[in-house]
């Protein structure tokens, strides 16, 4: 069963702007898919719909076999917290909170004991190589370190899918390469990754690229020469 099924999805804003014009595709569990397109192509709108952050005007979106209209508001909140992880270009960290506190945020409503929640957060921190910064405030971190914290926060609930919206957009090339290495590693461990980017170099770290232009799917192709982030070469 597919994790994500999108059929003829459209999005029209109140001012009449058509952001999406009949988008259709399927993403299986464990895939690493890049959605690529220029600014204004509709890719970020699409991510917001897929992540239950925004609604759509027409068509159908099924997540984990269930149409989104079939989810109650409480179910949407639960799915977004437990089955989805988000990594944004702007990091979206609490400046006056430590690395550990930022990463524990998605666990606030979980039923586990506080020690178990802290253990999970520390494991996520270790997974992104930031154990030595665990007590630092996020405002004390470099851009690359902040994005690592954001990835750990997305990872802490062991979600079915991680949505990464331009995760290297605010980083230098070396930091960006490091972040994509981590994301590729998460996919190797079985996480479904949906990457939004306008950069060919970044998109080619995925296994499949969906190209969006003017709100439509222009192409949907497998990556034949995949770029390995940690080494900077293709295979």
């Amino acid at each position: 069963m597919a994790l994500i099924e999108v059929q003829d999805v459209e999005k029209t804003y109140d001012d009449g702007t058509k952001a999406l014009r009949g988008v259709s595709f399927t993403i299986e569990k464990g895939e690493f898919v890049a959605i690529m397109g220029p600014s204004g192509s509709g890719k970020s709108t699409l991510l917001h719909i897929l992540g239950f952050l925004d609604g759509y005007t027409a068509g159908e979106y099924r997540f984990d076999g269930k149409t989104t209209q079939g989810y109650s508001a409480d179910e949407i909140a639960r799915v977004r917290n437990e089955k989805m992880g988000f990594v944004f270009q702007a990091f979206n960290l609490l400046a006056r909170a430590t690395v550990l506190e930022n990463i524990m945020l998605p666990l606030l409503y979980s039923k586990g004991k506080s020690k178990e929640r802290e253990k999970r957060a520390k494991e996520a921190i270790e997974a992104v190589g930031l154990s030595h910064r665990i007590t630092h405030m996020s405002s004390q971190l470099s851009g690359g370190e902040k994005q690592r914290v954001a990835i750990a926060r997305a990872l802490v609930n062991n979600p079915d899918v991680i949505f990464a919206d331009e995760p290297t957009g605010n980083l230098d090339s070396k930091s960006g390469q490091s972040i994509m290495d981590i994301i590729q590693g998460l996919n190797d461990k079985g996480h479904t990754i949906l990457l939004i980017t306008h950069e060919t170099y970044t998109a080619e770290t995925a296994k499949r690229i969906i190209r969006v232009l003017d709100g439509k799917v222009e192409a949907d192709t497998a990556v034949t020469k995949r770029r390995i982030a940690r080494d900077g070469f293709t295979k």
Side-chain angles (χ1 to χ4, degrees):
M1 181 177 64
L3 180 63
I4 289 172
E5 299 174 85
V6 179
Q7 185 65 45
D8 297 323
V9 165
E10 299 182 4
K11 175 66 176 181
T12 303
Y13 290 102
D14 292 340
D15 63 1
T17 301
K18 287 186 174 294
L20 297 177
R21 304 167 182 265
V23 171
S24 300
F25 58 81
T26 298
I27 297 176
E28 303 291 335
K29 291 183 179 180
E31 280 200 86
F32 185 173
V33 179
I35 296 181
M36 187 181 177
S39 297
S41 61
K43 60 186 186 298
S44 290
T45 298
L46 182 57
L47 179 140
H48 288 161
I49 290 171
L50 298 180
F52 290 2
L53 300 171
D54 197 2
Y56 51 95
T57 310
E60 183 177 75
Y61 169 32
R62 300 179 72 87
F63 181 81
D64 207 13
K66 185 176 180 178
T67 180
T68 53
Q69 282 91 343
Y71 287 96
S72 67
D74 287 343
E75 286 177 319
I76 286 175
R78 180 183 58 80
V79 168
R80 205 162 46 208
N81 186 58
E82 296 178 2
K83 295 191 175 185
M84 299 176 175
F86 297 89
V87 181
F88 296 103
Q89 180 178 351
F91 316 131
N92 292 349
L93 303 180
L94 298 179
R96 296 187 179 182
T98 65
V99 167
L100 180 61
E101 289 167 342
N102 269 285
I103 293 171
M104 289 185 69
L105 283 175
L107 301 175
L108 287 177
Y109 301 104
S110 64
K111 297 178 181 179
K113 296 180 179 179
S114 58
K115 287 186 178 179
E116 176 60 26
R117 294 198 297 268
E118 185 172 325
K119 179 184 176 183
R120 287 168 60 184
K122 287 180 177 178
E123 288 173 348
I125 293 169
E126 184 176 355
V128 299
L130 277 183
S131 295
H132 63 295
R133 304 288 261 171
I134 191 169
T135 60
H136 284 68
M137 297 293 181
S138 64
S139 58
Q140 297 174 303
L141 305 179
S142 68
E145 288 172 333
K146 288 178 180 178
Q147 198 58 292
R148 285 172 182 253
V149 174
I151 291 172
R153 184 182 56 194
L155 181 63
V156 73
N157 268 328
N158 193 31
D160 290 341
V161 57
I162 294 175
F163 296 104
D165 190 2
E166 302 279 6
T168 64
N170 285 334
L171 306 178
D172 59 64
S173 59
K174 184 177 180 180
S175 297
Q177 183 172 306
S178 177
I179 293 302
M180 292 313 303
D181 182 30
I182 292 172
I183 290 174
Q184 282 185 326
L186 293 175
N187 179 242
D188 291 341
K189 293 177 182 177
H191 289 281
T192 306
I193 307 291
L194 191 62
L195 169 71
I196 302 294
T197 184
H198 66 278
E199 300 170 335
T200 300
Y201 183 94
T202 303
E204 288 177 347
T205 61
K207 298 176 181 177
R208 173 182 164 201
I209 298 176
I210 297 174
R211 298 180 186 274
V212 179
L213 183 64
D214 296 332
K216 298 180 180 180
V217 173
E218 185 182 36
D220 186 346
T221 57
V223 177
T224 55
K225 292 185 177 181
R226 190 184 183 202
R227 192 176 299 277
I228 306 304
R230 64 181 174 277
D231 300 317
F233 65 82
T234 58
K235 72 172 185 178

